Amino acid sequence: MGIIKIPIPVKLICGMISGRLELFEQAREKLQERYGAIDYLSPLMPFSCYTDYYEQEMGKDLQRQFISFEKLIDPSDIIGIKLATNQIELAFGAPNRLINLDPGYVSNAKLVLATTKDYQHRIYLGQGIYAEVTLRFRQGKFEPYEWTYPDYRTPEYLNIFNRIRAIYREQLKQA
């Protein structure tokens, strides 16, 4: 029998996709109200070159940005966070989304994304939310799996998550 251990806190991240640049700042403000100070903000990056999945709903020329939060979370909090980000999306525009918010977390070993979509490699967490281990940390850097989204495989994104993990590791040292 294994001994039950409380997991160490993880670093909350959120990916944002929109074609309306003003919504990035507005969404960051809403997220900061809930989750506290942002300690990493990526540059805006073109997203439309990876997929047209969101084009019909949100338009063309979409941009992507990642943020991470200073306050660490319990990994199980991701359920409530995904439910909250869905509500924030609705507040910015219904029936069509104007911004997509993808919360997840970085730990020492992995990047996990929360989703409402089931698939063979996703684990049901509860309340309609699934988790996907999107990247693993191995041999000093993040690397993708066979199911990892194409954009998350790029050196640009991998560098972002390596940077966020470095911030996280520094936080753990100081705790």
Side-chain angles (χ1 to χ4, degrees):
M1 172 177 82
I3 298 172
I4 295 173
K5 298 175 189 157
I6 304 297
I8 64 170
V10 294
K11 186 148 198 71
L12 176 61
I13 61 112
C14 189
M16 302 181 290
I17 302 170
S18 183
R20 300 176 77 175
L21 299 182
E22 72 277 6
L23 292 183
F24 287 99
E25 183 176 344
Q26 293 172 25
R28 285 193 308 268
E29 289 172 6
K30 292 270 187 209
L31 292 166
Q32 284 183 95
E33 287 171 14
R34 286 181 178 264
Y35 307 112
I38 291 170
D39 63 2
Y40 179 83
L41 175 69
S42 79
L44 286 170
M45 301 166 282
F47 179 75
S48 298
C49 56
Y50 296 108
T51 180
D52 60 1
Y53 180 82
Y54 296 104
E55 195 172 288
Q56 186 173 4
E57 186 177 22
M58 297 193 311
K60 294 182 182 213
D61 300 321
L62 299 176
Q63 298 287 309
R64 158 86 86 176
Q65 186 172 56
F66 290 102
I67 57 176
S68 69
F69 296 86
E70 191 174 292
K71 182 181 174 201
L72 302 181
I73 63 166
D74 184 288
S76 66
D77 291 344
I78 201 65
I79 297 169
I81 292 167
K82 179 61 176 171
L83 294 170
T85 57
N86 283 359
Q87 291 303 310
I88 294 169
E89 285 180 9
L90 287 173
F92 281 113
N96 289 342
R97 285 188 293 180
L98 298 176
I99 190 165
N100 179 52
L101 302 175
D102 289 323
Y105 62 80
V106 169
S107 73
N108 281 320
K110 59 192 169 282
L111 166 69
V112 174
L113 295 178
T115 181
T116 58
K117 299 171 206 77
D118 188 14
Y119 206 64
Q120 66 187 0
H121 61 282
R122 295 179 177 159
I123 305 296
Y124 185 67
L125 299 177
Q127 299 182 56
I129 306 302
Y130 298 81
E132 172 185 298
V133 179
T134 300
L135 300 172
R136 65 181 168 188
F137 194 81
R138 195 171 86 147
Q139 298 179 344
K141 62 184 191 244
F142 276 113
E143 60 182 38
Y145 290 98
E146 65 185 66
W147 56 79
T148 300
Y149 296 115
D151 52 333
Y152 281 81
R153 296 171 170 272
T154 65
E156 186 174 30
Y157 282 33
L158 293 171
N159 287 337
I160 287 168
F161 294 116
N162 285 320
R163 175 68 187 125
I164 291 171
R165 184 180 180 275
I167 295 167
Y168 170 64
R169 298 276 298 161
E170 228 8 80
Q171 286 178 281
L172 291 179
K173 283 181 192 174
Q174 294 177 12

